Amino acid sequence: MTRIDRIGRIVLLVLQAFVAVTACAGGVVLILGSVNPAWSSLLVPPLDYLEGSPFTSYLVPGLLLVVLVAGVHAFAFVLTISESTWSTSAAAAGGFACVIWIGVQMVFIPFSFLQALYFVVGLVELGVTMVRLGILEPVTPPHRTTFVSSRGQRSPHAPK
């Protein structure tokens, strides 16, 4: 494992753990605030933000946040820490989940610092994943030759 790969792995593990924990906590807060409005706190956005969206409460968005963002990141974390061959694919899925989640969220909810933070985290995850896949390594094209062996083998194009 190269030094860049080790650093990339550590960066991914930190970001995956961060997103898994915070997205799970955020999803749980949204779910609890939807189930009982008395449990709603400063952490649950106003219901006005859902106007024009397919949702009438934060229950489904909270569930989606837990499953699609926190769950994917937790799964990617486990695969990355165990050095699975699927860890890079899972890391990419986590990065895309973050970027897509924030992109869709910004259609309905006014801009906040957290949206920018998680969008950047998703982009960093995707960037580190590409580096681990070798995007920085020089590409050397395969060597092509026109050499034809003359050791008793006839060319299929030679006259008979």
Side-chain angles (χ1 to χ4, degrees), residues 67-84:
V67 173
L68 296 179
V69 179
V72 169
H73 278 85
F75 184 64
F77 179 84
V78 169
L79 291 178
T80 303
I81 206 155
S82 66
E83 296 183 2
S84 167

Side-chain angles (χ1 to χ4, degrees), residues 7-147:
I7 292 170
R9 183 173 177 266
I10 291 168
V11 168
L12 281 177
L13 286 169
V14 168
L15 293 177
Q16 290 164 347
F18 171 76
V19 174
V21 169
T22 58
C24 186
V28 167
V29 166
L30 290 176
I31 293 166
L32 292 177
S34 297
V35 171
N36 186 350
W39 293 340
S40 186
S41 68
L42 294 174
L43 301 175
V44 178
L47 279 175
D48 299 346
Y49 288 173
L50 294 178
E51 227 172 85
S53 80
F55 308 110
T56 57
S57 77
Y58 285 106
L59 178 64
V60 174
L63 289 169
L64 291 173
L65 183 59
V66 169
V67 173
L68 296 179
V69 179
V72 169
H73 278 85
F75 184 64
F77 179 84
V78 169
L79 291 178
T80 303
I81 206 155
S82 66
E83 296 183 2
S84 167
T85 56
W86 290 96
S87 65
T88 306
S89 297
F96 281 119
C98 230
V99 169
I100 292 168
W101 176 267
I102 295 301
V104 170
Q105 187 185 79
M106 289 182 74
V107 170
F108 300 106
I109 296 178
F111 177 80
S112 75
F113 170 75
L114 288 177
Q115 290 170 328
L117 173 69
Y118 283 96
F119 190 79
V120 168
V121 166
L123 292 178
V124 170
E125 284 180 292
L126 292 171
V128 171
T129 300
M130 287 191 287
V131 168
R132 291 190 78 204
L133 286 171
I135 197 169
L136 296 179
E137 296 172 9
V139 176
T140 55
H143 181 69
R144 301 185 84 180
T145 182
T146 56
F147 175 75

